[in-house]
Amino acid sequence: ASGSQLKEFALDYNVRQMQFELEPAPMTMPSSGLQRVHNLGCYSQGDVPAFVLTCTSAGELCAFATAPEDGVPSHMASQAADSSSVQRKNGVFRACVPVSSGKGGLLSLAQDGEYVWLGAGDGKVKRFRGEDQRWEMEAEVMLDAGVVSLGLCADRRTLLAGTTAGTMFTLDAGSLRPTMLFGAHTAPVVGAAFGSATSDRVATAAEDGTVRLWDLNTYEATFQTRRVGQVATCIHVGADDGPAGTPGLVLTGWADGAVYCHDPFSKDNGQDGLVWSIAKAHAGKVTAIAFSELAILTAGEDGKLRAWTLGGRRCEFEFAEHSKAITAMLVDTEDPTRVHTCGHDQLVVTLDLKRKRRVTYHALREGQLTS
């Protein structure tokens, strides 16, 4: 395929030249024209008539007739065989079946006999049955992102599907029931946080807007959520011995100034486990976040540290000790009522949350503190 053009090539051995040669023959398009970009295609396999199936960027499945005899290319068969013995013309367009109207069109294809499985850029996988000009959709499922690869397993009962979100699924070839096998970030990871006393779980956040909780015993993602079109900037996991109601909770800060809290073990808060959120915690990026015994702490690109009540998520007070962005924050391990911050203004500041005032600070003559 080259743009909207399709060609079938015959591989022949030239005895005189002592080399193999490829002879191209263009596929015949409809008289009205079929201007499509063909992303991929395959020859039909199994006990079905010979066809070339292609997937287009417009989300359509196209079928083209090929050679009626095994091993004979269509343009050679049409010359060798009498026209009356061939039931249908070779190398010509037969059907165009609308499959998906999502972005990217059709990106993956698997075929076995009269069954065709198609993966689309909008995350849908569909199963069609038919041949020639007769095609019927029998099943459909929605995955978490665009489906860029589909493969039929040897048992012909299971499909493997890969997505642009870095996830891999197994699909039942009949019902298309999905089971996630593996997930991975597809953009730089901006933070990782341990919250368990046994250190067998770690949470990660990435610039692609995904947040995952990993079981380090099996290296599987036991929880995942995603904010489409948003960039995560920091992450924190509530410690097992933390304030009541916070152990195991996953806190994330975002580039749009929002803060999200998820419970990866709860089934009462919807599929993504969202417990609560603060739409505009800071004017710019949220650069650091943590639980303390007294409040939820957030630090931002605006140079402010804010304390939010554990119950109502109301901003109780704020510190504006930094003149530039705060880059890191740490709750004191011996005195949890104190917190330490550093920033691009070359300052390290210690704050007392109970007295709501600065305790001390240290300054560098040159350079910026990043962590």
Side-chain angles (χ1 to χ4, degrees):
S2 175
S4 61
Q5 295 183 351
L6 283 177
K7 293 182 180 179
E8 184 184 18
F9 288 82
L11 181 63
D12 294 325
Y13 186 73
N14 189 320
V15 179
R16 180 176 299 177
Q17 298 294 330
M18 300 292 289
Q19 65 181 13
F20 285 95
E21 295 178 347
L22 283 174
E23 296 184 8
M27 294 285 192
T28 304
M29 297 294 178
S31 58
S32 59
L34 185 69
Q35 297 297 319
R36 298 289 189 273
V37 176
H38 299 270
N39 293 333
L40 71 159
C42 72
Y43 278 97
S44 59
Q45 300 178 8
D47 189 19
V48 292
F51 282 92
V52 169
L53 302 176
T54 67
C55 298
T56 73
S57 59
E60 300 157 332
L61 172 67
C62 293
F64 295 84
T66 55
E69 300 177 7
D70 293 339
V72 182
S74 60
H75 62 287
M76 295 179 64
S78 61
Q79 298 173 0
D82 183 77
S83 59
S84 61
S85 63
V86 180
Q87 297 180 356
R88 54 183 171 80
K89 294 182 179 180
N90 305 301
V92 300
F93 169 82
R94 297 296 294 171
C96 182
V97 183
V99 178
S100 171
S101 58
K103 182 179 179 181
L106 296 181
L107 304 178
S108 53
L109 165 70
Q111 184 268 337
D112 180 43
E114 59 184 349
Y115 296 102
V116 178
W117 296 268
L118 302 164
D122 58 2
K124 291 183 180 179
V125 177
K126 297 183 179 182
R127 187 181 79 156
F128 279 77
R129 181 180 182 181
E131 61 178 72
D132 199 15
Q133 296 179 330
R134 301 175 299 276
W135 297 92
E136 181 181 358
M137 189 184 76
E138 294 188 336
E140 177 182 354
V141 69
M142 172 69 81
L143 301 183
D144 61 346
V147 183
V148 293
S149 65
L150 278 175
L152 186 65
C153 296
D155 61 5
R156 296 186 175 182
R157 298 179 180 178
T158 309
L159 290 163
L160 285 178
T163 74
T164 55
T167 52
M168 181 176 290
F169 292 84
T170 59
L171 304 174
D172 183 90
S175 65
L176 296 184
R177 181 175 59 86
T179 301
M180 193 177 80
L181 283 180
F182 177 77
H185 293 295
T186 57
V189 176
V190 298
F194 288 87
S196 173
T198 59
S199 297
D200 61 351
R201 295 190 299 270
V202 62
T204 57
E207 289 183 357
D208 59 2
T210 57
V211 178
R212 288 186 169 96
L213 183 68
W214 305 85
D215 186 336
L216 296 183
N217 295 313
T218 59
Y219 295 101
E220 293 180 341
T222 59
F223 167 79
Q224 66 175 356
T225 185
R226 185 183 185 191
R227 290 188 69 200
V228 179
Q230 298 298 330
V231 178
T233 53
C234 55
I235 190 169
H236 175 80
V237 178
D240 289 349
D241 57 352
T246 64
L249 295 183
V250 178
L251 277 179
T252 51
W254 299 82
D256 61 354
V259 172
Y260 277 67
C261 177
H262 294 86
D263 185 350
F265 308 105
S266 175
K267 297 181 181 180
D268 300 328
N269 301 306
Q271 186 176 1
D272 63 354
L274 181 63
V275 181
W276 52 261
S277 64
I278 303 173
K280 204 67 178 176
H282 289 271
K285 298 179 182 178
V286 179
T287 56
I289 193 167
F291 281 118
S292 76
E293 289 188 356
L294 301 178
I296 303 164
L297 303 176
T298 62
E301 195 176 38
D302 54 7
K304 297 179 180 179
L305 184 146
R306 288 177 174 158
W308 308 80
T309 57
L310 291 170
R313 273 78 62 188
R314 184 185 72 258
C315 184
E316 190 173 9
F317 55 89
E318 71 174 32
F319 295 96
E321 302 293 334
H322 291 272
S323 59
K324 295 183 179 180
I326 297 175
T327 56
M329 173 178 59
L330 177 66
V331 177
D332 197 287
T333 56
E334 295 184 359
D335 185 357
T337 64
R338 291 191 175 188
V339 60
H340 311 279
T341 61
C342 66
H344 284 162
D345 56 359
Q346 304 170 335
L347 293 179
V348 177
V349 182
T350 300
L351 305 166
D352 190 319
L353 300 177
K354 184 176 291 186
R355 298 181 180 179
K356 302 178 184 179
R357 66 181 181 85
R358 184 183 69 194
V359 177
T360 185
Y361 73 92
H362 303 275
L364 294 178
R365 291 186 176 181
E366 56 184 29
Q368 293 182 336
L369 296 166
T370 57
S371 62

